[in-house]
């Protein structure tokens, strides 16, 4: 990761918008310094870099809508933007925040972030604080903590790591390298070991809770079970004999009851047939009458048809009469509509001349009124112009009068100011002569009077004060005289100007009055013409519109013509309807006559058939006939009784035969049979209950024995599994997770030391690092100039500590992960180093510059500033504000 440029606005003391271009030629050497007095804002550049990438700084954990302590006081917005290259691709990260003011109260808006790729093609990668931080970490392999340990090194950041004890160093190393996962693994191994141990104890406890039966108890239960099976067979055989006897007696009673029931049912059926005999006779007569039902239905239909034709004939006669009346009314209405249309057409011809005259008069009146409106508008405009001219003339006249009244006062003020000026000049000249006293000495002649004696004492200081006052008075008088003279000249010039403007405005006013009089006269004449034409038009046609009257009359004429046409059509239609009604009436009369003949013939034929079937007339036939439902009911009842009589005649002999064939009774008597069956069942139930308890006990014992075998197998398997976890827990497991974490940290620490020694080879020829022999996290320093002697890192001087800390920082950025850091900012407190240590640090920085990195050193130490040619100076301007100066630095307006 190599920084290319930095842009920020209104951060801490650096107000305004600034840009630093790290790709300027001056930074090609790789080493530059950020200088300035303490508190000027040097670290603000590092804050801007962190803010753009992570939305936070080493000094401010969060900058959000709840609080922003980095924005310049009094500013309404701030921003930070950094451009960098990683893996040959150029990226840009930005962060900004604004304030809003509502009702006098300022409020911070949520920050806005953006992370994008700018080359080789443009693409927005993330647009939120969390998203930008994750994207930066994914691309640069640096989170905020590692960034502040490898790119931006705050004061004393690695001195703490160097001087810490083993426990503190493990905590810092875990924080820097992300080794907390090993602590979690150690705790998880410990937890799983305890869990497997608990499972083993549970299996052993389960075996103790489910014991098997003893051999004696199991043998006794099996003997009782065998005896009960033998006794069950005997009871089942006796129970079958009892059941067979019970079934024989039950079948005998069933057959006797069946025979008695059939005999009773036959007697009841014979009685029902005797009672149904009259209804059977009635049914026979009804069945004979039913043979004429279809013929009678046809006759009834013809009678109904005859009735309908009579009604239809009456309706057709009434319709024919109504149609004839409607035709007469339609003919009269048609004559009336045609007459009205002819009258309207004659009236239209008479009104055509009047409408034409009124239309022509309206056109003349419209033109006259248009000219009147124009003349009136012109007169109004001329009147407004005339009134404005009068007002302007009056204003100029008033201004001229005021100027004439003010002129004497200004003249008097000018003369008074001139007199005062002359008096002040006399006083000043006299004061200048009195200054000669300053050069008088006793025994020396006076330049004015030649006397060598000067009896009056001289107070130089008082006369100098008086002279200064007189000079001021003279200067004030000159200023007032000049001002009064200027005011007088201005008043005279204004009076001359106002006189000229008044004369010109008077001429304009007269011209405006003349134009207004002419426009008003023309408008009055045009108004008279319009009034005469309006009177003529009102007398001729009133206020009516000829076009509207013509249109309305034409519409009425069209409506009358349509009414006449519709009336003629209605007359024709009425005549057609009358002819159709008469034809239909004739048809209905003919149909009625035909139907009456058919009904008469059918009635004669129906009477003949009644006589043949034994019915005197139609009324007797109606009395004998039954409804279809009643006939069906009586027929079904007759058929049912006959069918049941035939069935009973066959079933009764069959029941007698079954009873005779049932056989001889069994050896067991019927008396007490039910009690014997109950006793046998009770004994069998008792036996089965007892045997079931023994069988269930044996089954449970079998299940326990199978379960114990299964538990024993599980115990062996679990013992092997628990042994594996115990072994693993003995090596890496612990309740707090320290054991594995410390082991891994020792490996990580050795890798870190190896990487730091690779950096030390380029920074120092004297020192190397190695882990402690008795403590894997203790750090010792090997002095190659002292024969490879090892000593504690706490014995290093300030400059030596800086070199070792820097080597550790570079190791973290290059030796621990796939991170390539080509930019480095050091804020390590160089002011605490002595001259020798500082010289050592400078030599180390020179070597670091040769590695091709861009290294920025923040310091106010003069020696450091003198040794580094490329410098960014942070210069205080007062009032808590500062500015930047140096290569690549510019402020945007």
């Amino acid at each position: 990761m190599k920084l290319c440029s930095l842009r920020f606005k209104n951060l801490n003391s650096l107000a305004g918008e600034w840009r630093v271009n790290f790709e300027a030629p001056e930074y090609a050497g790789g080493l530059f310094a950020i200088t300035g007095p303490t508190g000027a804002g040097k670290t603000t550049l590092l804050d801007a870099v962190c803010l753009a990438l992570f939305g936070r700084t080493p000094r401010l954990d969060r900058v959000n809508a709840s609080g922003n302590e980095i924005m310049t006081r009094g500013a309404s917005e701030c921003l930070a933007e950094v451009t960098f290259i990683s893996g040959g691709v150029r990226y840009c990260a930005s962060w900004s925040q604004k304030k809003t003011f509502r009702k006098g109260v300022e409020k911070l808006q949520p920050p806005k972030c953006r992370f994008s790729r700018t080359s080789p093609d443009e693409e927005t990668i993330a647009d939120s604080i969390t998203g930008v931080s994750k994207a930066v970490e994914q691309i640069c392999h640096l989170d905020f903590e590692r960034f502040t340990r490898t790119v931006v090194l705050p004061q004393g950041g690695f001195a703490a790591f160097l001087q810490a004890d083993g426990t503190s160093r493990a905590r810092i190393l875990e924080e820097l390298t992300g080794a907390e996962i090993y602590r979690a693994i150690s705790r998880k191994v410990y937890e799983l070991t305890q869990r497997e141990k608990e499972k083993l104890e549970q299996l052993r406890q389960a075996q103790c809770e489910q014991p098997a039966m003893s051999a004696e108890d199991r043998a006794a239960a099996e003997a009782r079970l065998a005896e009960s099976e033998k006794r069950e067979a005997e009871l089942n055989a006796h129970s079958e004999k009892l059941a067979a006897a019970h079934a024989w007696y039950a079948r005998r009673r069933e057959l006797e009851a069946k025979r008695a029931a059939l005999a009773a049912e036959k007697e009841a059926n014979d009685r029902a047939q005797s009672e149904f005999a009259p209804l059977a006779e009635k049914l026979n007569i009804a069945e004979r009458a039913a043979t004429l039902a279809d013929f009678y239905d046809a006759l009834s239909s013809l009678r109904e048809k005859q009735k309908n034709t009579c009604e239809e004939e009456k309706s057709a006669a009434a319709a024919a009469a109504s149609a004839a009346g409607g035709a007469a009314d339609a003919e009269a209405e048609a004559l009336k509509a045609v007459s009205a249309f002819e009258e309207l057409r004659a009236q239209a011809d008479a009104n055509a001349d009047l409408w034409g005259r009124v239309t022509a008069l309206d056109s003349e009146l419209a033109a006259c009124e248009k000219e009147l409106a124009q003349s009136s508008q012109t007169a109004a405009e001329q009147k407004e112009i005339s009134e404005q001219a009068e007002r302007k003339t009056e204003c100029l006249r008033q201004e001229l009068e005021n100027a004439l009244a003010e002129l004497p006062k200004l003249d008097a003020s000018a003369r008074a100011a001139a007199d005062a000026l002359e008096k002040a000049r006399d006083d000043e000249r006299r004061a200048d002569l009195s200054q000669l006293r300053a050069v008088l000495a006793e025994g020396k002649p006076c330049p004015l009077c030649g006397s060598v004696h000067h009896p009056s004492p001289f107070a130089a200081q008082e006369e100098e004060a008086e002279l200064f006052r007189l000079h001021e008075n003279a200067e004030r008088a000159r200023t007032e005289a000049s001002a009064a003279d200027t005011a007088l000249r201005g008043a005279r010039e204004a009076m001359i100007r106002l006189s000229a403007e008044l004369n010109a405005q008077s001429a304009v006013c007269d011209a405006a009055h003349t134009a207004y009089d002419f426009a008003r006269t023309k408008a009055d004449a045009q108004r008279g013409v319009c009034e005469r034409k309006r009177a003529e038009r009102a007398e001729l046609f009133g206020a009516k519109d000829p076009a509207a009257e013509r249109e309305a009359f034409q519409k009425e004429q069209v409506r009358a013509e349509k009414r006449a046409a519709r009336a003629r059509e209605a007359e024709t239609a009425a005549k057609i309807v009358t002819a159709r009604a008469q034809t239909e009436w004739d048809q209905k009369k003919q149909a009625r006559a035909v139907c009456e003949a058919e009904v008469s013939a059918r009635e004669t034929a129906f009477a003949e058939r009644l006589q043949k079937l034994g019915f005197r007339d139609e009324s007797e036939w109606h009395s004998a006939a039954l409804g279809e439902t009643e006939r069906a009911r009586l027929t079904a009842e007759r058929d049912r009784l006959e069918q049941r009589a035939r069935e009973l005649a066959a079933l009764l002999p069959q029941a007698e035969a079954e009873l005779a064939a049932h056989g001889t009774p069994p050896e067991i008597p019927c008396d007490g049979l039910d009690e014997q069956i109950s006793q046998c069942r009770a004994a069998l139930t008792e036996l089965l209950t007892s045997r079931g308890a023994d069988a269930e006990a044996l089954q449970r014992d079998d299940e326990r024995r199978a379960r114990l075998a299964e538990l024993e197998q599980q115990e062996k398997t679990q013992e092997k599994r628990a042994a594996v976890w115990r072994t693993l827990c003995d090596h890496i497991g612990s309740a707090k997770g320290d054991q594995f974490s410390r082991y891994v940290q020792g490996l990580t620490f050795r890798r870190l030391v190896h990487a730091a020694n690779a950096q030390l080879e380029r920074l120092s020829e004297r020192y190397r690092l190695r882990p402690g022999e008795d403590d894997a996290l203790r750090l010792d320093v090997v002095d190659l100039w002292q024969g490879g002697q090892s000593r504690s890192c706490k014995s290093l001087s300030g400059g030596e500590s800086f070199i070792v800390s820097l080597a550790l920082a570079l190791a973290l950025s290059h030796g621990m992960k796939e991170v390539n850091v080509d930019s480095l900012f050091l804020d390590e407190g160089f002011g605490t180093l002595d001259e020798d240590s500082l010289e050592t640090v400078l030599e180390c920085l020179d070597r670091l510059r040769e590695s091709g990195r861009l290294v920025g050193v923040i310091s106010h130490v003069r020696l450091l500033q003198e040794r580094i040619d490329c410098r960014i100076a942070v210069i205080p301007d007062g009032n808590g504000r500062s500015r930047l100066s140096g290569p690549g630095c510019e402020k945007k307006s």
Side-chain angles (χ1 to χ4, degrees):
M1 177 182 183
K2 184 175 182 179
L3 296 183
C4 299
S5 66
L6 173 65
R7 184 171 70 93
F8 59 91
K9 182 178 182 181
N10 295 329
L11 296 183
N12 292 330
S13 62
L14 293 173
E17 185 173 351
W18 295 90
R19 184 176 185 273
V20 181
N21 181 16
F22 294 112
E23 293 180 323
E26 291 82 356
Y27 295 96
L31 184 63
F32 69 96
I34 302 175
T35 64
T38 301
K42 300 186 295 298
T43 310
T44 299
L45 277 75
L46 305 188
D47 291 342
V49 174
C50 295
L51 199 60
L53 293 173
F54 300 99
R56 54 188 290 199
T57 72
R59 296 182 292 182
L60 296 175
D61 185 57
R62 283 289 180 269
V63 182
N64 49 34
S66 301
N68 184 339
E69 298 180 7
I70 199 171
M71 185 185 297
T72 302
R73 186 177 300 278
S76 60
E77 63 174 333
C78 63
L79 67 87
E81 179 183 280
V82 63
T83 302
F84 65 92
I85 295 176
S86 180
V89 181
R90 185 179 291 264
Y91 299 92
C92 179
S94 63
W95 177 98
S96 63
Q97 188 175 27
K98 293 183 178 180
K99 289 180 180 177
T100 58
F101 296 88
R102 291 184 180 177
K103 299 180 180 181
V105 178
E106 65 178 22
K107 182 180 179 181
L108 283 171
Q109 296 296 311
K112 294 182 179 180
C113 299
R114 186 171 182 267
F115 183 65
S116 60
R117 182 175 60 246
T118 59
S119 68
D121 55 349
E122 295 186 2
E123 180 187 3
T124 299
I125 300 174
D127 56 2
S128 65
I129 293 179
T130 305
V132 170
S133 299
K134 290 182 178 179
V136 170
E137 182 177 354
Q138 182 179 5
I139 291 173
C140 302
H141 304 286
L142 293 170
D143 57 7
F144 180 75
E145 296 297 335
R146 285 182 53 78
F147 184 80
T148 55
R149 297 293 187 182
T150 59
V151 177
V152 176
L153 303 183
Q155 295 183 5
F158 274 89
F161 180 79
L162 192 63
Q163 303 296 335
D165 56 16
T167 302
S168 301
R169 186 173 290 130
R171 185 175 61 254
I172 296 173
L173 192 63
E174 181 176 338
E175 176 186 348
L176 293 176
T177 60
E180 61 275 4
I181 186 174
Y182 303 109
R183 185 181 299 274
I185 292 174
S186 179
R187 289 194 297 267
K188 190 66 176 178
V189 167
Y190 179 81
E191 293 173 1
L192 291 175
T193 302
Q194 296 300 317
R195 192 178 304 171
E196 297 300 328
K197 182 179 179 181
E198 291 175 0
K199 289 181 180 179
L200 182 60
E201 292 297 328
Q202 290 173 0
L203 289 173
R204 291 172 177 171
Q205 182 67 26
Q207 294 180 45
C208 296
E209 292 175 355
Q210 298 182 4
M213 293 176 62
S214 63
E216 294 79 3
D217 293 341
R218 185 174 179 85
E222 290 174 347
R224 288 194 301 271
L225 187 61
E227 181 64 25
S228 66
E229 289 177 353
K230 181 179 179 181
R231 177 60 179 165
E232 179 186 4
E234 296 174 354
L235 289 175
N236 284 332
H238 184 61
S239 176
E240 289 176 359
K241 291 181 180 180
L242 293 175
H246 185 273
W248 192 92
Y249 289 118
R251 179 61 179 167
R252 178 64 179 268
R253 287 192 296 270
E254 181 182 348
L255 291 175
E256 290 176 349
K258 180 179 178 181
R259 183 186 62 181
L262 289 174
E265 187 175 357
K266 184 177 183 304
E267 183 180 357
N269 191 67
D270 293 341
R271 189 168 52 253
Q273 281 183 323
S274 298
E275 293 173 353
F276 187 74
L279 293 177
E281 181 63 22
K282 184 177 180 181
L283 178 60
N284 291 331
I285 297 173
E287 287 176 345
R288 192 170 67 249
T291 58
L292 292 177
D294 293 340
F295 193 90
Y296 181 76
D297 291 341
L299 177 61
S300 298
S301 298
L302 286 174
R303 288 173 177 173
E304 185 66 24
K305 183 178 180 181
Q306 179 186 5
K307 181 179 178 181
N308 293 336
T309 55
C310 291
E311 295 295 330
E312 290 174 356
E313 181 187 1
K314 293 179 182 179
S315 299
S322 176
D329 293 342
E331 184 177 4
E333 187 66 27
L335 292 174
K336 182 178 177 181
V338 171
S339 177
F341 171 67
E342 294 297 334
E343 290 179 1
L344 286 174
R345 186 161 56 183
Q347 187 177 355
D349 296 338
N351 290 338
D353 181 60
L354 176 62
W355 290 336
R357 291 169 57 194
V358 174
T359 301
L361 187 59
D362 285 343
S363 300
E364 295 174 2
L365 182 58
C368 185
E369 288 178 345
K370 182 177 181 181
E371 293 179 1
L372 174 59
Q374 293 176 352
S375 299
S376 300
Q377 182 178 1
T378 303
E381 293 175 353
Q382 291 298 329
K383 182 180 180 182
E384 180 65 24
I385 292 172
S386 177
E387 290 176 352
Q388 291 179 357
E390 287 181 356
R391 289 194 295 271
K392 188 171 183 180
T393 302
E394 184 62 29
C395 290
L396 290 173
R397 186 179 292 109
Q398 185 65 37
E399 290 181 8
L400 182 58
E401 290 176 359
N402 293 338
L404 290 172
E406 188 69 22
L407 188 59
K409 298 178 182 178
L410 293 175
D411 192 13
S413 297
R415 287 197 298 272
D419 294 342
L421 176 59
E422 186 62 30
K423 182 178 180 300
R425 285 175 176 172
D426 292 342
D427 293 340
E428 187 178 16
R429 283 193 294 271
R430 285 194 298 272
D432 288 338
L433 292 174
S434 66
Q435 287 296 306
L436 294 175
R437 295 179 184 177
V439 298
L440 294 179
E442 189 66 27
K444 292 183 179 181
C446 176
L448 294 177
C449 63
S451 176
V452 295
H453 298 290
H454 315 291
S456 299
F458 173 66
Q461 184 176 1
E462 295 178 359
E463 288 187 358
E464 286 180 0
E466 180 63 20
L467 178 61
F468 181 73
R469 184 182 64 77
L470 291 175
H471 279 308
E472 286 185 342
N473 290 341
E475 186 63 31
R476 189 182 303 110
R478 278 192 292 272
T479 302
E480 292 176 354
S482 177
D485 186 55
T486 301
L488 181 60
R489 286 197 303 272
R492 287 172 179 168
E493 292 173 357
M495 184 179 65
I496 295 171
R497 178 180 54 79
L498 288 173
S499 297
E501 289 181 359
L502 180 59
N503 293 332
Q505 187 61 34
S506 297
V508 172
C509 187
D510 294 339
H513 281 303
T514 302
Y516 171 61
D517 292 338
F518 175 76
R520 185 177 58 184
T521 302
K522 183 179 178 181
D524 292 341
Q526 194 70 32
R527 190 176 291 106
V529 174
C530 289
E531 291 296 333
R532 288 194 299 274
K533 289 187 177 295
R534 289 194 190 97
E536 181 182 358
R537 203 272 189 197
E539 182 179 358
L540 183 63
F541 206 62
K544 296 183 291 183
D545 183 8
E549 289 292 328
R550 181 186 291 109
E551 183 180 359
F553 200 86
Q554 289 175 349
K555 289 181 180 179
E556 181 61 27
Q557 190 175 359
V558 171
R559 287 195 292 271
E561 184 177 7
K562 290 181 179 179
R563 284 196 296 270
R566 287 196 297 271
R568 286 193 293 268
E569 292 175 357
E571 179 186 4
T572 302
K575 290 179 179 180
I576 294 173
V577 170
T578 301
R580 289 176 178 173
Q582 184 65 38
T583 301
E584 187 175 359
W585 185 22
D586 294 340
Q587 293 174 351
K588 294 298 181 182
K589 285 191 292 184
Q590 183 179 0
R592 177 182 59 78
V594 172
C595 190
E596 286 178 351
E598 290 181 356
V599 169
S600 178
R602 279 285 179 153
E603 286 179 345
T604 301
F606 185 67
E608 292 176 355
R609 293 190 178 191
L610 288 175
Q611 293 295 328
K612 292 179 179 180
L613 291 175
F615 296 106
R616 290 188 300 273
D617 52 21
E618 186 176 344
S619 60
E620 184 178 357
W621 179 81
H622 278 296
S623 299
L626 294 176
E628 185 176 353
T629 303
E630 182 65 15
R631 285 202 315 274
R633 184 183 68 79
L634 293 176
T635 301
E637 180 65 16
R638 182 189 61 188
D639 293 344
R640 186 186 66 79
L641 291 173
E642 292 176 353
Q643 176 66 24
R644 189 57 183 164
R646 289 192 295 271
E647 291 175 355
L648 291 173
L651 291 174
L652 189 59
Q654 183 178 357
E656 293 286 353
E658 289 180 353
L659 184 61
H662 187 55
T664 58
E667 297 178 356
I668 302 175
C670 182
D671 296 337
L673 183 59
D674 292 337
E675 184 178 356
Q676 294 180 39
I677 291 174
S678 298
Q679 292 175 353
C680 183
R681 288 177 178 173
L684 185 60
T685 301
E686 182 180 358
L687 178 65
L688 292 177
T689 302
S690 176
R691 191 180 70 179
D694 291 333
E696 183 178 1
L698 291 173
Q699 182 180 0
R700 284 200 303 269
D701 186 58
D702 292 339
E703 292 175 353
R704 288 194 186 100
R705 292 175 182 274
R707 178 59 178 164
L708 285 173
E710 181 181 355
L711 289 175
E712 289 174 356
Q713 184 61 35
Q714 291 179 1
E715 180 184 4
K716 294 178 181 179
T717 303
Q718 186 62 27
E719 282 181 352
K720 296 179 180 179
R721 183 179 178 84
V724 172
W725 281 103
R726 279 197 305 271
T727 304
L728 184 60
C729 184
D730 292 340
H731 288 85
I732 65 173
S734 63
K736 296 182 179 179
D738 296 336
Q739 187 170 350
F740 192 33
S741 175
R742 195 171 182 86
Y743 172 75
V744 174
Q745 286 164 4
L747 297 177
T748 304
F749 185 62
R750 284 194 290 272
R751 288 181 54 209
L752 175 63
V753 171
H754 180 74
N757 285 328
Q759 299 296 332
L760 272 176
E761 289 181 1
R762 292 193 293 269
L763 300 178
S764 173
E765 299 177 354
R766 180 176 180 180
Y767 296 108
R768 297 294 182 269
L769 300 175
R770 71 178 178 187
E773 295 179 357
D774 55 345
D775 187 354
L777 294 180
R778 194 185 76 229
L779 184 62
D780 292 337
V781 178
V782 178
D783 192 341
L784 300 180
W785 291 1
Q786 298 294 329
Q789 182 178 358
S790 177
R791 56 191 175 95
S792 173
C793 59
K794 295 182 180 179
S795 63
L796 295 174
S797 64
E800 294 168 341
S801 296
F802 174 81
I803 294 173
V804 174
S805 298
L806 182 58
L808 288 170
L810 296 175
L812 280 172
S813 63
H814 287 268
M816 302 307 293
K817 286 187 178 180
E818 295 299 327
V819 180
N820 186 15
V821 177
D822 293 325
S823 298
L824 193 64
F825 290 88
L826 305 177
D827 189 4
E828 282 295 321
F830 300 100
T832 61
L833 302 178
D834 55 26
E835 293 183 2
D836 294 338
S837 299
L838 188 58
E839 185 64 30
T840 302
V841 168
L842 289 174
E843 293 177 359
C844 174
L845 293 176
D846 286 335
R847 294 194 186 99
L848 190 61
R849 171 163 51 185
E850 297 172 357
S851 65
R853 295 185 181 87
L854 179 66
V855 181
V857 178
I858 300 177
S859 179
H860 61 275
V861 178
R862 183 176 300 276
L863 180 59
L864 199 65
Q865 298 177 17
E866 293 175 353
R867 289 282 296 273
I868 300 176
D869 298 331
C870 183
R871 294 189 296 274
I872 297 176
V874 183
I875 305 171
D877 286 337
N879 298 325
R881 302 295 175 91
S882 301
R883 55 188 171 87
L884 297 180
S885 176
C889 297
E890 61 175 334
K891 183 176 183 181
K892 295 187 178 181
S893 56

